[in-house]
Structures are given as C-alpha cells and as structure tokens.
Amino acid sequence: MVVVMAPEATAAEVEAVVGLVRSVSGQAFVSRGLSRTIVGLVGDVTDFEALNLGSLAGVLQVIRVSVPYKLVSREHHPARSQIRVGGVPIGPGTLTVIAGPCAVESPEQTLEAARMAKSAGASMLRGGAFKPRTSPYAYQGLGEQGLRILADVRAETGLAVVTEVVDPAGVDVVAKYADMLQVGARNMQNFALLQAVGSAGKPVLLKRGFSATIDEWLSAAEYIAQRGNLNIVLCERGIRTFETATRNTLDISAVPVAQRLSHLPVIVDPSHSGGRRDLVVPLARAAIAVGADGLLIDVHPNPKSALCDGDQALPESDIREIADVAASLSTLMGRTLAAPSGEFGQVAAGVSR
Ligand code: PEP
Ligand code: MN
C-alpha cells in the first residue's frame, strides 16, 4: 500500500501516518519528493485498511498495490500450477481438450457425443445436466438423471466428467457424480455457490462472467481457494461487447493476462465465445497460439436437433479438423496433448484419438 500525502501536508501529519502504521506492526518507508511525500507500507493490508488512513489530515490518496486476491495470485505462488482431474493434467506443458454436448439429452446422444469428443482429442467430457438458461421456458436439463448418464458414459469411455452446478443446494449431488464442478458465467459472482464448491473436495472449472473484469474473475476464484480448494481452472468464454456479429467477444488477451496474475491454469471455450460453428476452429487455433492450457468445445451428433446451443456445436464432419488443430498446434507450442487417464473405466477399444 502507498499513502500519497497532499503537497501541503506537514511533517506532523506524515508522522501521524507512520505512527499508526507502526502501531499495527507495519513498516513505513517515507519518500520525500520535490512537491510531495509518499509513504510506502509493508505489512498486513487488512490491518492497514482498518486504520482508515484516507481520512487522516494531510492524506491525499491511499493506493492498494497488492492484488485483492492472494491465494490464487502469482505473488503468493510464483510458479504456474498444474491441476489434475482424476488422472488428467491441466496446466503448463499440457493442452487439455474437454468436449461434449452443451446439454445431456439422452444416453445415446451423450455416448455418441463422448465418442466424438474422444476423436477430437479430448481427455474429458463436458455436458450440462443442470442448465442455467436465460429464459425459464428454455430446456433446463435432465437434472440428476443427466448426472447418471454422464457417469455411465464415463465408465464406458474413460473420459473424466465436468458438469455445471447452478446453486449451493445442488453441489452435493453434482459432486457425487462429477469429477469436476463447473461454475458458469452467470454464476461467477454467486458467492455462496463459490464457497460451496470450494468445500466440495472436487476440482472446479470457473467460467468468466460475461461482464466481469479479470480482477473480478480472480477474486471469484479466491472465494473458492479460501475454502482450501486450489484445484481451480479458469475458463475464458467471451465477454459482452458492442459487437453483435458474434454471441460474445473472445477476450484473447485475458489468457496471458490471467496467467501472469494467477498461477491457475486458463482454458478457452471457443464455442460459447463466438456462438457460431464456423468460428470454433479459428478461435481454438487462436487460443492454443496465445498459450491457453486447454479448450472447452461443444460437439453434438446432430446439432440441428440439439436442445441447447445447436448453432455452435461441431458435428462429426468437423471433428477431424479440431483433432488436427489440437495435435499440431500443441506440438508447435511445446505442449503434450492430454490423454484420457483410463482411471474411470476402460478406454473404449476402437475409438480413434
Ligand atoms: C456451458 O458451458 O454450457 C455454459 C452454460 O457456458 P457459460 O456459462 O459460459 O454461458
Ligand atoms: Mn451452452
């Protein structure tokens, strides 16, 4: 923290600041410039905030230098973290592809989408059983029945499962079936939910809210970390801008910015970002090239009949291309494409990767 004194501040006023800082065991470093004096503080920011230094006579401004999140920051933990979902790594050195349908609709559709995901190079399966829809009349998901389908498909394919939880009351049931809990864009600042997933003992995929700054996103991750869970993956999924040609605007710079500020892995969802099938492969290329640790991709055996987000789902005919992009660009970026761990059942024979 830095306290900027007003140009007319007296020596006694500077001393008052120094005295208060020392009273809470902080250190105060006074720098006297030509026109003003600043006091640099070292110590516990929470203690300094309680002093309300901004209200003291002669104080012009109090500037917080350290970030408002600690546990997820690189100040706290300089090396970038790798997390594991079952046996699947996500983080530096690896590119982890997660793919599947937007929503679980039936056992057949989910199994077929999982086979497509695997062919696309995925090591994890995504799919919503509880869907946070903008309209209450839109498809809301199969609930627990959908979770059971995901668990069956995991056993059949060996793919670890990530699925969304939409409220604190749903955390236990989702954690019972899933390997990773997804907090969606609409719930990024549902603080009770963040605390509940932080206590659930499962890795968390935290999507960026479509109107959230990177600071707000990392502060949301801090809520989860505070509960003792540092197995968090951040997911950039596009933000709301004035542009209407795409569903959201993929904030590609958020990837290196978040990776510089936080040690947590950062992946990109090119499907929800553009909202358009034709943009998924180009945005996936951009994501890998900018250094993303993974991709989250919607695939569907029959996008025209999809109950949710069919416009952005990749059909079978696009799977080869996404697989080629993931394989070739991960190599170019010095990353290994994560493979299914096989920990969750047999890795199905005859499914090409
Ligand atoms: C999803 O991944 O299915 C989803 C609802 O995404 P978002 O929260 O990013 O809109
Ligand atoms: Mn969706």
Side-chain angles (χ1 to χ4, degrees), residues 156-247:
E156 177 99 9
T157 61
L159 295 174
V161 164
V162 56
T163 191
E164 183 159 355
V165 53
V166 293
D167 55 9
V171 170
D172 284 350
V173 70
V174 176
K176 186 172 139 196
Y177 295 95
D179 305 297
M180 184 181 215
L181 310 178
Q182 178 171 326
V183 174
R186 288 158 193 78
N187 267 319
M188 190 207 82
Q189 284 190 315
N190 181 339
F191 301 115
L193 178 61
L194 296 173
Q195 289 170 333
V197 297
S199 302
K202 288 274 164 98
V204 178
L205 180 64
L206 178 63
K207 289 196 140 191
R208 179 182 180 185
F210 37 68
S211 299
T213 64
I214 293 171
D215 258 22
E216 288 164 342
W217 188 21
L218 298 180
S219 296
E222 187 79 5
Y223 269 89
I224 301 168
Q226 257 198 345
R227 294 287 161 132
N229 184 356
L230 272 167
N231 293 317
I232 306 165
V233 173
L234 302 167
C235 180
E236 160 63 36
R237 46 77 75 209
I239 52 174
R240 200 162 265 190
T241 67
F242 53 81
E243 184 54 70
T244 55
T246 47
R247 183 175 176 184

Coordinates of all heavy atoms in Angstrom, one line a residue, residues 156-247:
E156 N -18.0 -46.0 -19.6 CA -17.9 -46.6 -21.0 C -16.7 -46.1 -21.8 O -16.1 -46.8 -22.5 CB -19.2 -46.3 -21.7 CG -19.3 -46.8 -23.2 CD -20.0 -48.1 -23.3 OE1 -20.7 -48.5 -22.3 OE2 -20.0 -48.6 -24.4
T157 N -16.4 -44.8 -21.6 CA -15.4 -44.2 -22.5 C -14.0 -43.9 -21.7 O -13.0 -43.6 -22.4 CB -15.9 -42.9 -23.0 OG1 -16.1 -42.0 -21.9 CG2 -17.1 -43.1 -23.8
G158 N -14.1 -43.9 -20.4 CA -12.8 -43.5 -19.7 C -12.6 -42.0 -19.6 O -11.6 -41.5 -19.1
L159 N -13.6 -41.2 -20.1 CA -13.4 -39.7 -20.0 C -13.9 -39.2 -18.7 O -15.0 -39.5 -18.2 CB -14.2 -39.1 -21.1 CG -13.8 -39.4 -22.6 CD1 -14.8 -38.7 -23.6 CD2 -12.4 -38.9 -22.9
A160 N -13.1 -38.4 -18.0 CA -13.5 -37.7 -16.8 C -14.6 -36.7 -17.2 O -14.6 -36.1 -18.3 CB -12.3 -37.0 -16.2
V161 N -15.4 -36.4 -16.2 CA -16.6 -35.6 -16.5 C -16.6 -34.3 -15.8 O -16.4 -34.2 -14.6 CB -17.9 -36.4 -16.0 CG1 -19.1 -35.5 -15.9 CG2 -18.2 -37.5 -17.0
V162 N -16.9 -33.2 -16.5 CA -17.1 -31.9 -15.9 C -18.5 -31.5 -16.2 O -19.0 -31.6 -17.4 CB -16.1 -30.8 -16.4 CG1 -16.0 -30.6 -17.9 CG2 -16.4 -29.5 -15.7
T163 N -19.3 -31.0 -15.2 CA -20.6 -30.6 -15.4 C -21.0 -29.5 -14.5 O -20.4 -29.3 -13.4 CB -21.6 -31.8 -15.3 OG1 -22.9 -31.5 -15.7 CG2 -21.7 -32.3 -13.8
E164 N -22.0 -28.7 -14.9 CA -22.3 -27.4 -14.2 C -23.1 -27.7 -12.9 O -24.0 -28.5 -12.9 CB -23.0 -26.5 -15.1 CG -23.2 -25.1 -14.5 CD -23.4 -24.0 -15.5 OE1 -23.3 -24.2 -16.7 OE2 -23.7 -22.9 -15.0
V165 N -22.8 -26.9 -11.9 CA -23.7 -26.8 -10.7 C -24.2 -25.4 -10.6 O -23.4 -24.4 -10.8 CB -23.0 -27.3 -9.4 CG1 -21.7 -26.6 -9.2 CG2 -23.9 -27.2 -8.2
V166 N -25.5 -25.2 -10.4 CA -26.1 -23.9 -10.6 C -26.5 -23.3 -9.2 O -26.8 -22.1 -9.2 CB -27.3 -23.9 -11.5 CG1 -26.9 -24.2 -12.9 CG2 -28.4 -24.9 -11.1
D167 N -26.5 -24.0 -8.1 CA -26.8 -23.4 -6.9 C -26.2 -24.2 -5.7 O -25.8 -25.4 -5.9 CB -28.3 -23.3 -6.6 CG -29.1 -24.6 -6.8 OD1 -28.4 -25.6 -6.9 OD2 -30.3 -24.6 -6.8
P168 N -26.0 -23.6 -4.5 CA -25.3 -24.3 -3.4 C -26.0 -25.6 -3.1 O -25.4 -26.6 -2.7 CB -25.4 -23.3 -2.3 CG -25.5 -21.9 -3.0 CD -26.3 -22.2 -4.2
A169 N -27.4 -25.6 -3.2 CA -28.1 -26.8 -2.8 C -27.8 -28.0 -3.7 O -28.0 -29.1 -3.3 CB -29.6 -26.5 -2.8
G170 N -27.3 -27.7 -4.9 CA -27.1 -28.8 -5.9 C -25.6 -29.3 -5.8 O -25.3 -30.3 -6.5
V171 N -24.8 -28.7 -5.0 CA -23.4 -29.1 -5.0 C -23.2 -30.6 -4.6 O -22.4 -31.3 -5.3 CB -22.5 -28.2 -4.1 CG1 -21.1 -28.7 -3.9 CG2 -22.5 -26.8 -4.7
D172 N -23.8 -31.0 -3.6 CA -23.6 -32.4 -3.1 C -23.9 -33.4 -4.2 O -23.2 -34.4 -4.5 CB -24.4 -32.7 -1.9 CG -23.8 -32.1 -0.6 OD1 -22.6 -31.6 -0.8 OD2 -24.4 -32.0 0.4
V173 N -25.1 -33.2 -4.8 CA -25.5 -34.3 -5.8 C -24.6 -34.2 -7.1 O -24.2 -35.2 -7.6 CB -27.0 -34.1 -6.2 CG1 -27.3 -32.9 -7.0 CG2 -27.4 -35.4 -7.0
V174 N -24.2 -33.0 -7.5 CA -23.3 -32.9 -8.7 C -21.9 -33.5 -8.3 O -21.3 -34.3 -9.1 CB -23.2 -31.5 -9.2 CG1 -22.2 -31.4 -10.3 CG2 -24.6 -31.0 -9.7
A175 N -21.4 -33.2 -7.1 CA -20.1 -33.7 -6.7 C -20.1 -35.2 -6.5 O -19.1 -35.9 -6.7 CB -19.7 -33.1 -5.4
K176 N -21.3 -35.8 -6.3 CA -21.4 -37.3 -6.2 C -21.1 -38.0 -7.5 O -20.5 -39.0 -7.5 CB -22.8 -37.6 -5.7 CG -23.1 -39.0 -5.4 CD -24.5 -39.2 -4.8 CE -25.1 -40.4 -5.3 NZ -26.6 -40.4 -5.1
Y177 N -21.5 -37.3 -8.6 CA -21.3 -38.0 -9.9 C -20.1 -37.4 -10.7 O -19.5 -38.1 -11.5 CB -22.5 -37.8 -10.8 CG -23.8 -38.5 -10.2 CD1 -24.7 -37.8 -9.4 CD2 -24.0 -39.8 -10.6 CE1 -25.8 -38.4 -9.0 CE2 -25.1 -40.5 -10.1 CZ -26.0 -39.8 -9.3 OH -27.2 -40.4 -8.8
A178 N -19.8 -36.1 -10.6 CA -18.8 -35.5 -11.5 C -17.4 -35.5 -10.9 O -17.2 -35.7 -9.7 CB -19.2 -34.0 -11.7
D179 N -16.5 -35.4 -11.9 CA -15.0 -35.3 -11.5 C -14.6 -33.9 -11.3 O -13.6 -33.6 -10.6 CB -14.2 -36.0 -12.6 CG -14.7 -37.4 -12.8 OD1 -14.6 -38.2 -11.9 OD2 -15.2 -37.7 -13.9
M180 N -15.3 -33.0 -11.9 CA -15.0 -31.6 -11.8 C -16.3 -30.8 -11.9 O -17.2 -31.1 -12.6 CB -14.1 -31.2 -13.0 CG -13.6 -29.8 -13.0 SD -12.6 -29.4 -14.4 CE -11.4 -28.3 -13.7
L181 N -16.4 -29.7 -11.0 CA -17.6 -29.0 -10.9 C -17.5 -27.7 -11.8 O -16.5 -27.0 -11.6 CB -17.9 -28.6 -9.5 CG -17.9 -29.7 -8.5 CD1 -18.1 -29.2 -7.1 CD2 -18.9 -30.8 -8.8
Q182 N -18.4 -27.4 -12.6 CA -18.4 -26.2 -13.4 C -19.2 -25.1 -12.8 O -20.4 -25.4 -12.5 CB -18.8 -26.5 -14.9 CG -18.9 -25.3 -15.8 CD -19.1 -25.7 -17.2 OE1 -18.7 -26.7 -17.7 NE2 -19.8 -24.8 -18.0
V183 N -18.6 -23.9 -12.6 CA -19.4 -22.7 -12.3 C -19.5 -21.9 -13.5 O -18.5 -21.5 -14.1 CB -18.8 -21.9 -11.1 CG1 -19.5 -20.7 -10.8 CG2 -18.7 -22.8 -9.8
G184 N -20.7 -21.7 -14.0 CA -20.9 -21.0 -15.3 C -20.8 -19.5 -15.2 O -20.8 -18.9 -14.1
A185 N -20.8 -18.9 -16.4 CA -20.6 -17.4 -16.5 C -21.7 -16.7 -15.6 O -21.4 -15.7 -15.0 CB -20.7 -17.0 -17.9
R186 N -22.9 -17.2 -15.7 CA -24.0 -16.4 -15.0 C -23.9 -16.5 -13.5 O -24.5 -15.8 -12.8 CB -25.3 -17.0 -15.5 CG -25.7 -16.6 -16.9 CD -26.7 -17.5 -17.5 NE -26.7 -17.2 -19.0 CZ -25.8 -17.7 -19.8 NH1 -24.8 -18.4 -19.4 NH2 -25.9 -17.4 -21.1
N187 N -23.1 -17.5 -13.0 CA -22.9 -17.7 -11.6 C -21.6 -17.3 -11.0 O -21.2 -17.6 -9.9 CB -23.2 -19.1 -11.2 CG -24.7 -19.4 -10.9 OD1 -25.3 -18.6 -10.1 ND2 -25.2 -20.5 -11.4
M188 N -20.8 -16.6 -11.9 CA -19.4 -16.3 -11.4 C -19.3 -15.5 -10.1 O -18.4 -15.6 -9.4 CB -18.6 -15.6 -12.5 CG -17.1 -15.5 -12.3 SD -16.3 -14.1 -13.0 CE -16.7 -12.8 -11.8
Q189 N -20.3 -14.7 -9.9 CA -20.3 -13.9 -8.7 C -21.4 -14.4 -7.7 O -21.9 -13.6 -6.9 CB -20.4 -12.5 -8.9 CG -19.1 -11.9 -9.4 CD -19.0 -10.4 -9.5 OE1 -20.0 -9.8 -10.0 NE2 -18.0 -9.8 -9.0
N190 N -21.8 -15.7 -7.8 CA -22.7 -16.3 -6.8 C -21.8 -16.8 -5.7 O -21.3 -17.9 -5.7 CB -23.5 -17.4 -7.5 CG -24.5 -18.1 -6.5 OD1 -24.3 -18.0 -5.3 ND2 -25.4 -18.8 -7.1
F191 N -21.6 -15.9 -4.7 CA -20.5 -16.1 -3.7 C -20.8 -17.3 -2.8 O -19.9 -18.1 -2.4 CB -20.3 -14.8 -2.9 CG -19.8 -13.7 -3.8 CD1 -20.6 -12.6 -3.9 CD2 -18.7 -13.8 -4.5 CE1 -20.2 -11.5 -4.8 CE2 -18.3 -12.7 -5.4 CZ -19.0 -11.6 -5.5
A192 N -22.1 -17.5 -2.6 CA -22.5 -18.7 -1.8 C -22.1 -20.0 -2.5 O -21.7 -21.0 -1.9 CB -24.0 -18.7 -1.4
L193 N -22.4 -20.0 -3.8 CA -22.0 -21.2 -4.7 C -20.5 -21.3 -4.7 O -20.0 -22.5 -4.6 CB -22.6 -21.0 -6.1 CG -22.3 -22.1 -7.1 CD1 -22.9 -23.4 -6.6 CD2 -22.8 -21.8 -8.5
L194 N -19.8 -20.3 -4.9 CA -18.3 -20.4 -4.9 C -17.8 -21.0 -3.6 O -16.9 -21.8 -3.6 CB -17.7 -19.0 -5.1 CG -18.0 -18.3 -6.5 CD1 -17.5 -16.9 -6.5 CD2 -17.5 -19.1 -7.6
Q195 N -18.3 -20.6 -2.5 CA -17.9 -21.1 -1.2 C -18.3 -22.6 -1.1 O -17.5 -23.4 -0.6 CB -18.5 -20.3 -0.1 CG -17.9 -19.0 0.1 CD -18.6 -18.0 1.0 OE1 -19.8 -18.2 1.2 NE2 -17.9 -17.1 1.6
A196 N -19.5 -22.9 -1.6 CA -19.9 -24.3 -1.5 C -19.0 -25.2 -2.4 O -18.6 -26.3 -2.0 CB -21.4 -24.4 -1.9
V197 N -18.7 -24.8 -3.6 CA -17.8 -25.7 -4.4 C -16.4 -25.7 -3.9 O -15.7 -26.7 -4.0 CB -17.8 -25.3 -6.0 CG1 -19.2 -25.4 -6.6 CG2 -17.3 -23.9 -6.2
G198 N -16.1 -24.6 -3.2 CA -14.7 -24.6 -2.5 C -14.6 -25.7 -1.5 O -13.5 -26.1 -1.1
S199 N -15.7 -26.0 -0.9 CA -15.7 -27.0 0.2 C -16.1 -28.4 -0.2 O -16.1 -29.3 0.6 CB -16.8 -26.6 1.3 OG -16.5 -25.3 1.8
A200 N -16.3 -28.6 -1.5 CA -16.9 -29.9 -2.0 C -15.8 -30.9 -2.3 O -16.1 -32.1 -2.6 CB -17.7 -29.7 -3.3
G201 N -14.5 -30.5 -2.3 CA -13.5 -31.5 -2.4 C -13.3 -32.0 -3.9 O -12.7 -33.1 -4.1
K202 N -13.8 -31.3 -4.8 CA -13.6 -31.6 -6.3 C -13.0 -30.4 -7.0 O -13.2 -29.3 -6.6 CB -15.0 -31.9 -6.9 CG -15.6 -33.2 -6.5 CD -15.1 -34.4 -7.3 CE -15.4 -35.7 -6.7 NZ -16.6 -36.4 -7.2
P203 N -12.2 -30.7 -8.1 CA -11.7 -29.6 -8.9 C -12.8 -28.7 -9.4 O -13.9 -29.3 -9.6 CB -10.9 -30.2 -10.0 CG -10.7 -31.6 -9.5 CD -11.8 -32.0 -8.6
V204 N -12.6 -27.5 -9.7 CA -13.6 -26.5 -10.1 C -13.2 -25.9 -11.4 O -12.0 -25.4 -11.6 CB -13.9 -25.4 -9.1 CG1 -14.9 -24.5 -9.6 CG2 -14.3 -26.1 -7.7
L205 N -14.1 -25.8 -12.4 CA -13.9 -25.0 -13.6 C -14.7 -23.8 -13.5 O -15.9 -23.8 -13.4 CB -14.4 -25.9 -14.8 CG -14.3 -25.2 -16.2 CD1 -12.8 -25.0 -16.6 CD2 -14.9 -26.1 -17.3
L206 N -14.0 -22.6 -13.4 CA -14.7 -21.4 -13.1 C -14.7 -20.5 -14.4 O -13.7 -20.0 -14.9 CB -13.9 -20.6 -12.0 CG -14.5 -19.2 -11.7 CD1 -15.9 -19.3 -11.2 CD2 -13.6 -18.5 -10.7
K207 N -15.9 -20.4 -15.0 CA -16.0 -19.6 -16.2 C -16.0 -18.1 -15.8 O -16.5 -17.7 -14.7 CB -17.3 -20.0 -16.9 CG -17.1 -21.3 -17.6 CD -18.2 -21.6 -18.6 CE -17.7 -22.3 -19.8 NZ -18.6 -22.3 -20.9
R208 N -15.5 -17.3 -16.8 CA -15.5 -15.8 -16.5 C -16.9 -15.3 -16.8 O -17.5 -15.6 -17.9 CB -14.5 -15.2 -17.5 CG -14.5 -13.7 -17.4 CD -13.5 -13.1 -18.4 NE -13.4 -11.7 -18.3 CZ -12.7 -10.9 -19.1 NH1 -12.0 -11.5 -20.1 NH2 -12.6 -9.6 -19.0
G209 N -17.5 -14.5 -16.0 CA -18.8 -13.8 -16.2 C -18.7 -13.0 -17.4 O -17.6 -12.4 -17.7
F210 N -19.8 -12.8 -18.2 CA -19.6 -12.1 -19.5 C -19.5 -10.6 -19.3 O -19.2 -9.9 -20.2 CB -20.7 -12.4 -20.5 CG -22.1 -12.7 -19.9 CD1 -22.8 -11.7 -19.3 CD2 -22.6 -13.9 -20.0 CE1 -24.1 -11.9 -18.8 CE2 -23.9 -14.2 -19.5 CZ -24.6 -13.2 -18.9
S211 N -19.7 -10.1 -18.1 CA -19.4 -8.7 -17.8 C -18.4 -8.5 -16.7 O -18.3 -7.4 -16.1 CB -20.7 -8.0 -17.4 OG -21.6 -8.0 -18.4
A212 N -17.6 -9.5 -16.5 CA -16.6 -9.5 -15.3 C -15.3 -9.0 -15.8 O -14.8 -9.5 -16.9 CB -16.5 -10.8 -14.7
T213 N -14.6 -8.2 -15.0 CA -13.2 -7.9 -15.3 C -12.4 -9.1 -14.9 O -12.8 -9.9 -14.1 CB -12.8 -6.6 -14.5 OG1 -12.8 -7.0 -13.1 CG2 -13.7 -5.4 -14.8
I214 N -11.1 -9.0 -15.3 CA -10.2 -10.1 -14.9 C -10.0 -10.1 -13.4 O -9.9 -11.2 -12.7 CB -8.9 -10.0 -15.7 CG1 -9.2 -10.3 -17.2 CG2 -7.8 -11.0 -15.1 CD1 -8.0 -10.0 -18.1
D215 N -9.9 -8.9 -12.8 CA -9.8 -8.8 -11.3 C -11.0 -9.5 -10.6 O -10.8 -10.2 -9.6 CB -9.7 -7.3 -10.9 CG -8.3 -6.9 -10.6 OD1 -7.4 -7.6 -11.1 OD2 -8.1 -5.9 -9.8
E216 N -12.2 -9.2 -11.1 CA -13.4 -9.8 -10.5 C -13.4 -11.3 -10.7 O -13.8 -12.1 -9.7 CB -14.7 -9.2 -11.2 CG -14.9 -7.8 -10.7 CD -15.9 -7.0 -11.6 OE1 -16.2 -7.5 -12.8 OE2 -16.4 -6.0 -11.2
W217 N -12.9 -11.8 -11.8 CA -12.9 -13.2 -12.1 C -11.9 -13.9 -11.1 O -12.2 -14.9 -10.5 CB -12.4 -13.4 -13.5 CG -12.3 -14.7 -14.1 CD1 -13.0 -15.8 -13.8 CD2 -11.5 -15.0 -15.3 NE1 -12.7 -16.8 -14.7 CE2 -11.8 -16.4 -15.6 CE3 -10.7 -14.3 -16.1 CZ2 -11.2 -17.0 -16.7 CZ3 -10.1 -14.9 -17.2 CH2 -10.3 -16.3 -17.5
L218 N -10.7 -13.3 -10.9 CA -9.7 -13.8 -10.0 C -10.2 -13.7 -8.5 O -9.9 -14.6 -7.7 CB -8.4 -13.2 -10.2 CG -7.8 -13.4 -11.6 CD1 -6.4 -12.7 -11.7 CD2 -7.6 -14.9 -11.9
S219 N -10.9 -12.7 -8.2 CA -11.5 -12.6 -6.9 C -12.5 -13.7 -6.6 O -12.7 -14.2 -5.5 CB -12.1 -11.2 -6.6 OG -11.1 -10.2 -6.7
A220 N -13.3 -14.0 -7.7 CA -14.2 -15.1 -7.6 C -13.5 -16.4 -7.3 O -13.9 -17.2 -6.4 CB -15.1 -15.2 -8.8
A221 N -12.4 -16.6 -8.0 CA -11.5 -17.8 -7.7 C -11.0 -17.8 -6.3 O -10.9 -18.9 -5.7 CB -10.4 -17.9 -8.7
E222 N -10.7 -16.6 -5.8 CA -10.2 -16.5 -4.4 C -11.2 -17.1 -3.4 O -10.9 -17.7 -2.4 CB -9.8 -15.1 -4.1 CG -9.1 -14.9 -2.8 CD -7.6 -15.2 -2.8 OE1 -7.1 -15.6 -3.9 OE2 -7.0 -15.2 -1.7
Y223 N -12.5 -16.8 -3.7 CA -13.6 -17.4 -2.8 C -13.5 -18.9 -2.7 O -13.7 -19.5 -1.6 CB -15.0 -17.0 -3.3 CG -15.5 -15.7 -2.8 CD1 -15.3 -14.5 -3.4 CD2 -16.3 -15.7 -1.6 CE1 -15.8 -13.3 -3.0 CE2 -16.8 -14.5 -1.2 CZ -16.6 -13.3 -1.8 OH -17.1 -12.1 -1.3
I224 N -13.2 -19.5 -3.8 CA -13.1 -21.0 -3.8 C -11.8 -21.4 -3.1 O -11.8 -22.3 -2.2 CB -13.1 -21.5 -5.3 CG1 -14.3 -21.1 -6.0 CG2 -12.9 -23.0 -5.3 CD1 -14.3 -21.3 -7.5
A225 N -10.7 -20.7 -3.4 CA -9.4 -21.0 -2.8 C -9.4 -20.9 -1.3 O -8.8 -21.6 -0.5 CB -8.3 -20.2 -3.4
Q226 N -10.2 -19.8 -0.8 CA -10.3 -19.6 0.6 C -10.8 -20.7 1.4 O -10.6 -20.9 2.6 CB -11.2 -18.4 0.8 CG -10.5 -17.1 1.1 CD -11.5 -16.1 1.8 OE1 -12.7 -16.3 1.7 NE2 -11.0 -15.1 2.4
R227 N -11.6 -21.6 0.7 CA -12.2 -22.8 1.4 C -11.2 -23.9 1.3 O -11.6 -25.1 1.6 CB -13.5 -23.1 0.7 CG -14.6 -22.1 0.9 CD -15.1 -22.1 2.4 NE -15.8 -20.9 2.7 CZ -16.9 -20.9 3.4 NH1 -17.6 -22.0 3.7 NH2 -17.5 -19.7 3.7
G228 N -10.0 -23.7 0.9 CA -9.0 -24.7 1.0 C -8.9 -25.5 -0.3 O -8.2 -26.5 -0.4
N229 N -9.6 -25.0 -1.4 CA -9.5 -25.8 -2.7 C -8.8 -24.9 -3.7 O -9.3 -23.9 -4.2 CB -11.0 -26.0 -3.1 CG -11.0 -26.9 -4.4 OD1 -10.0 -27.2 -5.0 ND2 -12.2 -27.2 -4.8
L230 N -7.6 -25.3 -4.0 CA -6.8 -24.6 -5.1 C -6.8 -25.3 -6.4 O -6.1 -25.0 -7.3 CB -5.4 -24.4 -4.6 CG -5.2 -23.1 -3.8 CD1 -3.8 -23.1 -3.1 CD2 -5.3 -21.9 -4.6
N231 N -7.6 -26.4 -6.5 CA -7.8 -27.1 -7.8 C -8.8 -26.4 -8.6 O -10.0 -26.8 -8.8 CB -8.2 -28.6 -7.5 CG -7.0 -29.3 -6.9 OD1 -5.9 -29.2 -7.2 ND2 -7.4 -30.1 -5.8
I232 N -8.4 -25.3 -9.2 CA -9.3 -24.4 -9.9 C -8.7 -24.2 -11.3 O -7.5 -23.9 -11.5 CB -9.5 -23.0 -9.2 CG1 -9.9 -23.2 -7.8 CG2 -10.5 -22.1 -10.0 CD1 -9.7 -21.9 -6.9
V233 N -9.6 -24.3 -12.3 CA -9.2 -23.9 -13.7 C -10.1 -22.8 -14.1 O -11.3 -22.8 -14.0 CB -9.4 -25.1 -14.7 CG1 -9.1 -24.7 -16.1 CG2 -8.4 -26.3 -14.3
L234 N -9.4 -21.7 -14.7 CA -10.2 -20.6 -15.2 C -10.5 -20.8 -16.6 O -9.7 -21.3 -17.4 CB -9.3 -19.3 -15.0 CG -8.8 -19.0 -13.6 CD1 -7.7 -17.9 -13.7 CD2 -10.0 -18.5 -12.8
C235 N -11.7 -20.4 -17.0 CA -12.2 -20.5 -18.4 C -12.7 -19.2 -19.0 O -13.7 -18.7 -18.6 CB -13.2 -21.6 -18.5 SG -13.8 -21.9 -20.2
E236 N -11.9 -18.7 -20.0 CA -12.4 -17.5 -20.7 C -13.4 -18.0 -21.8 O -13.1 -18.9 -22.6 CB -11.2 -16.8 -21.4 CG -11.5 -15.9 -22.6 CD -12.3 -14.7 -22.2 OE1 -12.2 -14.2 -21.1 OE2 -13.2 -14.3 -23.0
R237 N -14.6 -17.4 -21.8 CA -15.7 -17.8 -22.7 C -16.3 -16.7 -23.4 O -17.5 -16.8 -23.9 CB -16.7 -18.7 -21.9 CG -17.2 -18.0 -20.6 CD -18.1 -16.9 -20.7 NE -19.5 -17.4 -21.0 CZ -20.4 -16.7 -21.7 NH1 -20.1 -15.5 -22.1 NH2 -21.5 -17.3 -22.0
G238 N -15.6 -15.6 -23.5 CA -16.1 -14.5 -24.3 C -16.9 -13.5 -23.4 O -17.5 -13.9 -22.4
I239 N -16.7 -12.2 -23.7 CA -17.4 -11.2 -22.9 C -18.3 -10.4 -23.7 O -18.3 -10.4 -25.0 CB -16.3 -10.2 -22.2 CG1 -15.4 -9.7 -23.3 CG2 -15.6 -11.0 -21.1 CD1 -14.4 -8.6 -22.8
R240 N -19.2 -9.7 -23.1 CA -20.2 -8.9 -23.8 C -19.6 -7.6 -24.3 O -19.1 -6.8 -23.4 CB -21.4 -8.7 -22.9 CG -22.7 -8.3 -23.6 CD -23.8 -8.6 -22.7 NE -24.4 -9.9 -22.9 CZ -25.6 -10.2 -22.4 NH1 -26.2 -9.4 -21.6 NH2 -26.1 -11.4 -22.6
T241 N -19.7 -7.3 -25.6 CA -19.2 -6.0 -26.1 C -20.3 -5.4 -27.0 O -21.4 -6.0 -27.1 CB -17.9 -6.2 -26.9 OG1 -18.2 -6.9 -28.1 CG2 -16.8 -6.9 -26.1
F242 N -20.0 -4.3 -27.7 CA -21.0 -3.8 -28.6 C -21.2 -4.6 -29.9 O -22.1 -4.4 -30.6 CB -20.6 -2.3 -29.0 CG -19.2 -2.2 -29.5 CD1 -18.9 -2.6 -30.9 CD2 -18.1 -1.9 -28.7 CE1 -17.6 -2.5 -31.4 CE2 -16.8 -1.8 -29.2 CZ -16.6 -2.1 -30.5
E243 N -20.3 -5.6 -30.1 CA -20.3 -6.3 -31.3 C -21.4 -7.3 -31.3 O -21.6 -8.0 -30.3 CB -19.0 -7.1 -31.5 CG -18.9 -7.9 -32.8 CD -19.1 -7.0 -34.0 OE1 -18.3 -6.1 -34.3 OE2 -20.2 -7.2 -34.6
T244 N -22.2 -7.4 -32.4 CA -23.3 -8.3 -32.5 C -23.1 -9.5 -33.5 O -23.9 -10.4 -33.5 CB -24.6 -7.6 -32.9 OG1 -24.4 -6.9 -34.1 CG2 -25.1 -6.6 -31.8
A245 N -22.0 -9.4 -34.2 CA -21.8 -10.5 -35.2 C -21.5 -11.8 -34.5 O -21.6 -12.9 -35.1 CB -20.6 -10.1 -36.1
T246 N -21.0 -11.7 -33.3 CA -20.7 -12.9 -32.5 C -21.5 -12.9 -31.2 O -21.9 -11.8 -30.8 CB -19.2 -13.0 -32.2 OG1 -18.8 -11.7 -31.7 CG2 -18.3 -13.3 -33.4
R247 N -21.7 -14.1 -30.7 CA -22.5 -14.2 -29.5 C -21.9 -13.4 -28.3 O -22.5 -12.6 -27.6 CB -22.7 -15.6 -29.1 CG -23.5 -15.9 -27.9 CD -23.7 -17.4 -27.7 NE -24.5 -17.7 -26.5 CZ -24.7 -18.9 -26.0 NH1 -24.3 -20.0 -26.7 NH2 -25.4 -19.1 -24.9

